[in-house]
Structure formats: C-alpha cells, structure tokens
Amino acid sequence: MHNLIHDLALLVAKGEFLMRNSDCQSIPKRVHHLSFVSASASRNDFSSLLSDLRRVRTILFSINDENTSESFFTSCISKSQFLRVLDLDDSTIEVLPREIGNLKHMRYLDLSRYCQIKKLPNSICELQSLQTLILRGCLKLEELPKDIRYLVSLRMFVVTTKQKSLQESGIACLSSLRSLIISHCWNLEYLFEHIGQLSGLRSLILVDCPSLISLPSAVKCLSSLETLILIDCENLNLNLNIEMEGEGSHHDRDNTRTHLQKLFVSGLKQLLDLPQWLLQGSTKTLQFLGIEDCPNFMALQGSLKDLEALETLLISACRKLSSLPEDMHHLTTLKTLSIKECPALCERCKPLTGEDWSKIARIPRIMLDDELIKSSDN
C-alpha cells in the first residue's frame, strides 16, 4: 500500500482502529478494529489489558513468533463475543481453541498458512453466520471438521488439506457457497460426486493438486458457474465420459450445463484438447479463454467458432499446438489474441507470410511472444 493511502486509512479509522505493539499500554474502549503486530504484545504479561473487548469487531493476529501465548489468544477469543473478523494469517498458533464456536457473529475467518495446525475443532461448525473461511496453505491439516455442512451461510471457502478425497467432507451441502478454491492438496485424488448440488457456485478454482485424477461428472450441472480455473493439476483428465447429446430435451440440457464466462487451464499434462462439455453450454457466455503450459495440447477444435461472446484468447507454452482452426474468422467478437512460447504456431501467425495470418488478420489486438503485432489503436 502506498504510504499516502496508508496514512489516509489511519486518519479515517482514527479512534476505531489500533495497531497493538509493545509501546501501547492500553486498548481504548472506542476501538473496533484491533491488530497485534508485535510479538511482545502477545505475551502473558499483557493479558490484563484485555479486560473489555466487547466492542471489538476485527482482530488481525499477524504475529509469527513461536513464543506467542495460546492462553493470550484464547483470552482474546473469549472476551470478543461480538467479533466479526478474525485474521490469523501466518500465525504460529498450533491449536485453535474450541471457544471459537462461541463467536456467533463471526463473518470472516482467515487461517492462511496456518501451517502447524493438524485438526480444527468441530465447534468451528457452529459459526452459522460465517461467510468466508480461508484454510489456504494449511499443509498439515489432516481432515476437515465432520460437521462442516452446518456452515449454512458460507459463501467463500478456500481449503488446503492432506485428505485423498473430499467425498465425505460435507462441502456439497453448503448451499450458499459461491466460490470454492482448493489449493495445494497434494494427496487429493477425488472431489465429491454431489458437487452438482452447489447450484449457486460461481467460481471453482483448483491449484496445485497433482494427484487429482478427474472431476466429478456432476460438475457439468453447475449452471451458475462463471469461472473455472485449473492450475498445476498434472494428472487431471478432463474427459468426463459424458454423452451430452441425448440427455433429455434440448432445453433441459441447456439449463444443466455450465455457462462459463472465464476458463483458464495451466499445467495440465493430460490435456490434448478442450472437452466438448466445457464449451457446449458456454457458447453465448464465454468471454475469456486461456490455455497455458499444457505440453501435450495439440488442437483447438472447430467448435471454437461457436463461442460468439469470446473477447480474449491466450495461448502460452503449448508447443504441440501447430495451427489454428480454419474457421477462426467466425470469432467476430474476439478483440485480443496472445500467443507465446509456441514456436510453430507463432511462425504460422506472422503477418503476411504466416499460413494462419489470414485467419486472424481482422482481430484488433495481436501479440506474438509478448511482441505487439497489431493494435486496435493503429
């Protein structure tokens, strides 16, 4: 953050926001947002300062110190009964106290890189007002709490776990969920079959799950899904073995397919082409398509021409992709085409001399290996 913006934020929040360090001798009753930024501020001898935290709505506990007192943290929790936001990003606390279940007004809980924790108390599932739960980077977390399905207000869930499967996790019961991010789950082989029950899910992001074998077939039924991002899932096979045609009426099929606006795949070694199920429901909605670092990707199929809303196409480090579809000229809404680290394809797309230049010459903005070849400003 720029220093001026930082100073302005402090000015606006003056009286309600306090950064707690070793120089602070008290916590004024007007304070609503409290940040512990000094290791010494978390020692037991400061616990007497926490006499009244009923007005505190936010606690940022960003202390990376092995001497941090767990009793101090538990005291903060027990005395902050109206807490809305608790951020423990990169804290070294190893145990989350069961008292956290008493924070009935909690909306946001961030345990990012909370690397020492192995198990979450099941009382966390009593936070029925919780809207955001971030467990990113919890590399030692052995499993999710068994009653996580009771987080009925949860809208954003970011999870890292050592589990091989999320089948029994209860995530499919989170009917309010809008964004699901699963990252650094190195043992994860399967998600959960009833993912189609997440009828309001708009964003599904899978990052660095190298053991993931496939997506559940019901993923095609996520009719509210707008963003699908798959990164570094090297064993993931996107072929769902689904025969889309013949599944009920045309109207029914159209209403049970994804209607993506953004699709980005990167680091998928198994990907040879884009499966039909990814595109069939998104012909009128897909605006961004990115394919990166997929060493075996060989073809952009002819159905690409049906993407009547596509504005941006990015292709990077797909060395086996050697040509563009013949009907690229049908992509009348395409405004930006970027191709890099694809030697054969870049050669074919060179202005005037390239064999594929005629297919893309009408696109307003074209970049080859980060060199601007054509700009809409010219």
Side-chain angles (χ1 to χ4, degrees), residues 53-282:
L53 295 179
R54 287 178 297 175
R55 293 178 176 82
V56 173
R57 300 295 182 264
T58 302
I59 293 182
L60 307 181
F61 206 85
S62 55
I63 302 173
N64 192 343
D65 174 28
E66 62 183 10
N67 294 317
T68 296
S69 168
E70 291 182 7
S71 61
F72 173 84
F73 174 62
T74 302
S75 180
C76 284
I77 295 296
S78 62
K79 296 178 180 179
S80 307
Q81 57 183 307
F82 296 108
L83 200 63
R84 267 51 166 190
V85 175
L86 178 58
D87 189 336
L88 299 174
D89 187 357
D90 210 18
S91 173
T92 55
I93 297 172
E94 296 185 9
V95 178
L96 198 64
R98 66 177 63 183
E99 287 84 358
I100 197 166
N102 297 328
L103 303 178
K104 304 302 183 182
H105 302 278
M106 181 79 75
R107 304 288 193 274
Y108 180 100
L109 177 58
D110 186 351
L111 306 178
S112 295
R113 297 184 295 280
Y114 200 9
C115 297
Q116 303 304 312
I117 197 166
K118 295 181 179 180
K119 186 177 181 179
L120 292 171
N122 202 53
S123 61
I124 200 174
C125 303
E126 299 173 13
L127 303 177
Q128 296 193 2
S129 296
L130 193 65
Q131 297 180 2
T132 299
L133 176 58
I134 303 178
L135 305 176
R136 181 190 293 113
C138 297
L139 300 177
K140 294 186 179 181
L141 185 62
E142 295 175 354
E143 61 181 2
L144 298 177
K146 62 180 181 179
D147 290 331
I148 204 167
R149 63 185 180 276
Y150 294 126
L151 294 177
V152 294
S153 300
L154 200 64
R155 297 174 64 87
M156 181 176 183
F157 188 23
V158 185
V159 59
T160 299
T161 175
K162 294 175 67 175
Q163 291 171 254
K164 288 187 176 182
S165 173
L166 296 178
Q167 180 64 29
E168 306 298 328
S169 65
I171 296 178
C173 298
L174 301 175
S175 58
S176 297
L177 204 60
R178 297 294 180 266
S179 180
L180 175 60
I181 302 174
I182 301 174
S183 70
H184 300 88
C185 296
W186 298 329
N187 300 322
L188 188 66
E189 297 179 0
Y190 304 100
L191 298 184
F192 44 96
E193 286 301 324
H194 299 297
I195 194 171
Q197 294 178 189
L198 300 177
S199 58
L201 193 68
R202 296 174 185 171
S203 178
L204 176 60
I205 301 174
L206 305 177
V207 179
D208 199 9
C209 300
S211 299
L212 189 63
I213 298 171
S214 64
L215 298 179
S217 59
V219 74
K220 70 178 179 65
C221 299
L222 295 173
S223 57
S224 297
L225 195 66
E226 298 173 352
T227 299
L228 178 61
I229 298 177
L230 308 171
I231 299 175
D232 292 338
C233 301
E234 57 188 49
N235 287 309
L236 180 61
N237 188 336
L238 289 181
N239 294 316
L240 300 182
N241 297 319
I242 298 172
E243 185 58 45
M244 296 291 292
E245 300 302 329
E247 292 184 5
S249 68
H250 175 79
H251 178 268
D252 290 339
R253 291 196 308 272
D254 192 54
N255 285 323
T256 57
R257 292 174 179 166
T258 57
H259 296 81
L260 296 175
Q261 295 181 14
K262 180 177 182 178
L263 172 60
F264 180 76
V265 295
S266 175
L268 304 190
K269 293 183 179 179
Q270 303 295 323
L271 189 68
L272 303 179
D273 55 22
L274 293 176
Q276 286 296 104
W277 70 268
L278 273 175
L279 302 179
Q280 281 185 326
S282 306

Side-chain angles (χ1 to χ4, degrees), residues 279 282-283 286 289 303-310 331 333:
L279 302 179
S282 306
T283 55
L286 192 66
L289 174 59
S303 59
L304 201 68
K305 72 179 189 305
D306 298 324
L307 301 179
E308 56 188 69
L310 191 65
L331 296 175
T333 58

